[in-house]
Amino acid sequence: MTTFDARQTAAADWFRTLRDRICAAFEALEDDLGGDAAPGRFERRSWERADHSGAPGGGGTMSVMKGRVFEKVGVNISTVHGAFDPEFAKTIPGAAEDPRFFATGISLVAHMVNPHVPAVHMNTRYLVTTKAWFGGGADLNPPIPVEADTADWHAAFKASCDRHDPDYFPRFKAWCDEYFFIKHRNVARGQGGIFYDQLASGDWDADFAFTRDVGETFLGTYPELVRRHMHEDWTAEDRARQLAYRGLYTEFNLVYDRGTLFGLKTGGNIDAILMSLPPVATWE
């Protein structure tokens, strides 16, 4: 049985607890919509992995719901360990010297039934090689942007960042805008948010506290945005805009997303890695 140190255990426990709270909040939204259809509920499926040598390497749990508010939402957690493939290790800070690693995190993507409700992505993670750091963020992805939603989203994450370091929000917002940009289309994937990586200030407790605050801010902000719009009427034209937008979302995740590449290169569960893809999308 693999033994983790206190920091690794604390991070993995936090991501598991956050998963449970987010799933409960999302199921409450399903209950609040009303109507004749049964509200959606999460179904969980656990998986295990082996690293490139064949040795056991941890695993995770997929939590997926398809309901009347959420057309498809996945809230996945994982705790994996082992050794990177030697070539991939060269691309990870601190792994070229020693390919052994530990990684734990939560990854969430929601695609909504109502085109007026914004899709969303959030993930936070803790990774250890010969170095250790936190990363993650959250970004809003409305097919039909609403200025007030975008403003409130950014205000919430600015407040979260400012509680820890006044330099965080301008840095992490700009990083998000740069990262979630579809270069071959010359268009942003969504309305942005924050993105950070390799956060290792020298104060582990402070970095962990910030990462927890990102999760708390998401939980306190996104369900309220859903409630604003989930009862609104929508048209066939609105649905067409939503499906075309999902095509752009898919392109980014398959071409540029680092998390997708990390999962594939470390022998992760394919269904969990590709959970971010929408159930239906269109291209011209």
Side-chain angles (χ1 to χ4, degrees), residues 49 86 90 106 124 175 204 240 255:
R49 66 174 285 278
K90 297 175 183 178
I106 182 171
T124 49
W175 200 343
W204 189 90
V255 175

Side-chain angles (χ1 to χ4, degrees), residues 26-37:
F26 285 3
E27 288 184 350
L29 290 168
E30 287 283 324
D31 292 337
D32 291 346
L33 182 65
D36 296 331

Side-chain angles (χ1 to χ4, degrees), residues 121-159:
H121 159 257
M122 188 277 291
N123 83 86
T124 49
R125 58 193 175 273
Y126 175 53
L127 201 148
V128 181
T129 58
T130 58
K131 302 178 180 181
W133 67 91
F134 290 93
D139 58 293
L140 198 66
N141 297 276
I144 304 172
V146 176
E147 186 175 340
D149 294 348
T150 301
D152 289 347
W153 177 259
H154 287 301
F157 280 98
K158 181 180 187 303

Side-chain angles (χ1 to χ4, degrees), residues 4 38 41 53 114 150-151 173 176-177 188 224 228 252 274 282:
F4 303 128
R41 289 292 181 265
S53 70
N114 191 321
T150 301
K173 180 182 183 299
C176 183
D177 291 342
E224 294 308 309
R228 286 183 187 180
F252 177 89
L274 299 181
T282 60

